[in-house]
Amino acid sequence: MKVFRGFEYRRGTTAIHTLDPRAKIVYLILFTALAVFYYNHFVLIAIFASSLPIVAIAKIFGKWSISIRGSFMFVGFIFIFNLLALYFWGGHTLEAAVLSSLSMAIRFICLISIFSTFFLTTSPEDMTQSMVQLKIPYDYALTFNMAMRFVPTLSKEAQYIMDAQKSRGLEMEKGNLVARVKNYIPVLIPLIISSFRRAELVADAMESRAFGASKKRTSIYTLRFDAKDAVFVLIAIASFTALLSLRFLFSVP
């Protein structure tokens, strides 16, 4: 559950926090595309390293590192699953299967790092406003941002439930894989019930505020795309172009 802490926004005043969300969306899209496009380990590591300056400037290393460490279990699963699938059913040699599986694992870490830096430094309110200014209907923008805000909330709640069940004697790490999956049932059921209750509370709150009564909404403020946002976008595009050129100039896979 620690991996989802990288989606929990923490208010800040750094240069990255004050960037227009639309500028950070450009970085998110470009480097996500690069991570999916490349298989080469060194290029993927370079893509991962591209998020480190943002982490340093935004001063979010603590939360970011928790998210990265929390993803190691998924990374291990991705590596093992791909290794077995490619070697036993894909007809690959052991060396090729290991290298391909390693690429998949590094790619996943890249994506976690990119999305973590974005959501840790982007206010949900600003994100909603930026989507509205991009002509996305407010209902869809609000739904997306509420979903993203509830991910870390549900992660925390799941951790509380797990701690409560462990204090009552539930041994979640004991037994084989099937037994461990069954041990999580006492966690999933309360979590699902809590999620439905939370959704009902949000629906009641929205209804009490007459959500949807007015088709034309107004905002108390609008986001402005200024010089620092343009510089950030130019740096992101230049970095994207430099990494993408490796494919065409040096045939990097």
Side-chain angles (χ1 to χ4, degrees):
M1 295 298 176
K2 291 182 179 179
V3 66
F4 295 115
R5 295 185 185 179
F7 294 88
E8 186 178 8
Y9 171 71
R10 281 290 180 267
R11 197 171 299 277
T13 57
T14 66
I16 302 299
H17 282 84
T18 56
L19 283 173
D20 191 298
R22 291 168 291 184
K24 287 181 276 189
I25 287 175
V26 172
Y27 164 78
L28 179 74
I29 294 173
L30 292 180
F31 279 79
T32 298
L34 283 176
V36 174
F37 183 69
Y38 275 109
Y39 281 92
N40 185 275
H41 308 133
F42 298 106
V43 178
L44 288 172
I45 292 172
I47 295 170
F48 172 79
S50 70
S51 62
L52 298 182
I54 298 176
V55 171
I57 296 171
K59 300 177 182 178
I60 55 172
F61 181 79
K63 285 287 185 180
W64 175 84
S65 61
I66 290 174
S67 181
I68 296 297
R69 292 198 303 270
S71 68
F72 285 165
M73 182 183 71
F74 298 100
V75 170
F77 175 79
I78 290 171
F79 178 81
I80 294 172
F81 179 82
N82 280 278
L83 179 63
L84 295 176
L86 292 173
Y87 182 68
F88 289 105
W89 297 287
H92 289 65
T93 63
L94 180 60
E95 181 181 1
V98 169
L99 291 175
S100 182
S101 301
L102 186 61
S103 295
M104 293 293 183
I106 299 174
R107 175 181 294 164
F108 181 77
I109 295 178
C110 286
L111 294 174
I112 289 293
S113 179
I114 293 168
F115 278 86
S116 179
T117 54
F118 177 80
F119 285 106
L120 282 172
T121 60
T122 307
S123 164
E125 293 81 8
D126 289 346
M127 183 63 184
T128 302
Q129 182 61 26
S130 68
M131 294 175 73
V132 171
Q133 290 183 215
L134 289 172
K135 306 303 181 183
I136 296 175
Y138 181 79
D139 292 354
Y140 297 114
L142 180 65
T143 301
F144 173 79
N145 282 282
M146 286 179 63
M148 296 312 304
R149 291 185 72 173
F150 279 128
V151 167
T153 302
L154 292 178
S155 174
K156 280 185 178 180
E157 196 155 345
Q159 190 62 52
Y160 294 152
I161 295 172
M162 289 170 64
D163 293 340
Q165 297 289 31
K166 287 179 180 179
S167 69
R168 291 169 173 80
L170 178 64
E171 297 180 350
M172 307 187 68
E173 306 299 330
K174 192 173 181 179
N176 55 27
L177 181 62
V178 176
R180 291 186 181 185
V181 171
K182 289 182 179 179
N183 289 339
Y184 275 90
I185 294 177
V187 175
L188 292 176
I189 293 176
L191 184 62
I192 292 171
I193 294 173
S194 175
S195 301
F196 279 117
R197 287 178 178 173
R198 189 180 300 277
E200 187 176 2
L201 288 173
V202 171
D204 291 341
M206 293 174 67
E207 187 176 358
S208 67
R209 289 165 176 79
F211 179 79
S214 176
K215 298 299 180 183
K216 187 176 181 180
R217 297 181 58 88
T218 58
S219 300
I220 193 172
Y221 69 95
T222 57
L223 298 173
R224 296 184 181 276
F225 200 89
D226 55 22
K228 69 177 186 299
D229 302 313
V231 170
F232 181 82
V233 170
L234 289 176
I235 293 173
I237 293 175
S239 302
F240 171 81
T241 305
L243 289 171
L244 189 63
S245 64
L246 296 175
R247 179 65 175 269
F248 302 102
L249 297 177
F250 304 102
S251 300
V252 176

